[in-house]
Amino acid sequence: MPREINIGDKVAIMVKVGRRIEDRVTLHIWTANQPYSTIDPKAKPGDKIRLEARSYTLTRSCAA
């Protein structure tokens, strides 16, 4: 069972690399409905990338 996330905690998600546009690659994030991209000259379509960051805001969602 996942534990609660607090401000300052280190969090990570896995993303899949989509297509390449010059030095940028598109990122497919399963839980996001927005397009994302990053600069990564070594990434190829189909690669998986781990994104890590510190939590700086919390959002609570309500189940319907």
Side-chain angles (χ1 to χ4, degrees):
M1 184 166 164
R3 70 176 183 85
E4 186 174 321
I5 298 172
N6 295 306
I7 293 174
D9 287 352
K10 189 175 187 179
V11 295
I13 60 171
M14 294 298 293
V15 300
K16 189 173 183 181
V17 175
R19 64 185 177 146
R20 174 165 290 287
I21 304 169
E22 295 181 16
D23 61 342
R24 299 189 79 82
V25 289
T26 59
L27 301 176
H28 298 284
I29 303 171
W30 293 101
T31 57
N33 292 325
Q34 295 178 282
Y36 290 94
S37 69
T38 189
I39 296 173
D40 190 336
K42 296 180 182 178
K44 298 184 264 338
D47 285 354
K48 291 183 180 175
I49 298 175
R50 178 183 171 106
L51 301 177
E52 294 183 0
R54 294 270 176 207
S55 173
Y56 63 91
T57 185
L58 299 176
T59 303
R60 305 248 187 248
S61 60
C62 298

